Amino acid sequence: LRIDFREINHRVLGTQRLPTAVWVDTLEDALAMLDKSGAADRFRQIIRQTQTEQPSLAPWLQRRPMQAMELAEAWSKLLAVVAWLQNRPRPNVYLRQVDVPGVHSKFIEAHRGVLSELLELALPPDAINPAARGISQFNTRYGLLDKLPRIRFRLLDPLTPFLPLRAEPGPFAADITLDAATFAMIDAPIRHLFITENETNFLAFPRLPKSIVIFGSGYGWDPLARATWLKQCLIHYWGDIDTHGFAILNQLRGHFPHVESLLMDRATLLSHESMWGEESDQMQADLPLLDRAERELFDDLRDNRIRPNLRLEQERIGFQHVRAALARIVTARGP
């Protein structure tokens, strides 16, 4: 330490020499006082390694030195992953196939956030898909393969061939899961498509001619939208009678405008008062793709005009109502 002094004249004590400032003249001295010499050496090593292997990442180290220190043990692996993708832009492989010595797919998954920041600096623009954003779309953004979304459905007609399959006679219809791309290529004489969000309803759905039932996935209909042949089907969506049920219906209509709701009406709600429950987190947005009756019921639910946070879950609806509603559809629209 270096201390600056100045002299003062005190009326009682006389001339006095007092300290005015204390200086730490070198970075090494400051680091030693803070007990950070080892950390500084590690950071210098990170800088040297980065300047040698990936100089384009130097700006990231300037912006995030503390995060770099937290990642010190993983830094060499992160640089290796960046180099691998630099040498193989948009490789079109799964993470499991990224063959970097000492690096496994779970390491990459765990560090997608920082890798995204590094890859934005290290990769050329044509190696990055600008339409894919966020950690959930890491693979798509950098040209890696994602697990294909899957669609689960049951055949409801034992006489309708579907791929090389036929539904077996009896109470159990084939329960099939296909990736969305394969499902989109299906060519089968299907007239009715039903979608339900409840697995028990999905499994218990009655047999119907030329029909299938899909186990819904809540919000997110992009995988199903690939199947353009569904535009030729009569589609019915059966969700909970609550604000989120109508929001999911509204979103589905963004892909298939002709979708009709099933057992999501005021009469069904009022006839099951003893089965009413409570929706914990209501949807507040407007839903422009609902028809007039659906919108009026949605507004009543959202604005708590019937009862606060009211909902009727689909599995609480008597099954005789389900059979009656399906019979009306077949009668009105034909098998």
Side-chain angles (χ1 to χ4, degrees), residues 4 13 37 62 109 111 113 121 146 149 151 155 157 185 190 212 232 234 256-257 259 272-273 289 297 315:
D4 287 347
L13 301 176
S37 297
Q62 291 179 323
E109 289 174 352
H111 293 86
L121 295 171
D146 256 329
I151 296 172
L155 309 177
D157 184 354
M185 295 186 293
I190 301 299
I212 63 173
Q232 312 305 318
L234 300 173
F256 301 102
V259 171
H272 287 77
E273 184 173 357
L289 300 183
L297 179 54
E315 61 265 34

Side-chain angles (χ1 to χ4, degrees), residues 152-334:
R152 182 182 174 188
F153 61 96
R154 291 176 60 237
L155 309 177
L156 301 177
D157 184 354
L159 301 179
T160 300
F162 201 99
L163 298 174
L165 303 171
R166 287 182 181 272
E168 292 295 329
F172 301 105
D175 188 340
I176 304 168
T177 301
L178 294 176
D179 64 82
T182 302
F183 186 85
M185 295 186 293
I186 286 170
D187 181 15
I190 301 299
R191 176 167 173 76
H192 294 279
L193 167 66
F194 298 92
I195 303 172
T196 180
E197 299 286 343
N198 178 268
E199 187 173 26
T200 301
N201 287 338
F202 167 77
L203 295 172
F205 212 88
R207 293 298 185 97
L208 289 171
K210 298 180 181 178
S211 301
I212 63 173
V213 60
I214 286 178
F215 184 31
S217 56
Y219 295 101
W221 297 104
D222 290 342
L224 194 64
R226 301 182 190 182
T228 56
W229 60 271
L230 294 179
K231 295 179 180 179
Q232 312 305 318
C233 297
L234 300 173
I235 303 177
H236 284 83
Y237 175 76
W238 181 16
D240 296 330
I241 302 180
D242 60 15
T243 61
H244 282 278
F246 282 113
I248 296 170
L249 171 64
N250 182 83
Q251 188 183 71
L252 179 58
R253 282 201 178 124
H255 296 288
F256 301 102
H258 64 294
V259 171
E260 298 181 24
S261 59
L262 173 66
L263 294 171
M264 297 178 69
D265 54 86
R266 190 179 299 271
T268 300
L269 176 66
L270 297 180
S271 66
H272 287 77
E273 184 173 357
S274 63
M275 297 293 179
W276 288 356
E278 184 173 300
E279 184 180 24
S280 59
D281 180 24
Q282 289 186 309
M283 167 67 66
Q284 297 298 318
D286 291 329
L287 305 177
L289 300 183
L290 301 183
D291 64 27
R292 179 177 177 179
E294 294 163 349
R295 188 177 299 111
E296 289 176 352
L297 179 54
F298 169 76
D299 288 342
D300 286 348
L301 294 170
R302 178 183 59 178
D303 300 335
N304 298 311
R305 296 170 185 164
I306 304 173
R307 199 181 81 176
N309 301 97
L310 176 60
R311 76 181 306 199
L312 175 61
E313 295 175 276
Q314 56 191 268
E315 61 265 34
R316 298 191 177 192
I317 295 175
F319 213 71
Q320 70 273 17
H321 293 271
V322 180
R323 294 187 183 279
L326 296 176
R328 288 194 295 271
I329 291 172
V330 173
T331 299
R333 303 297 183 84

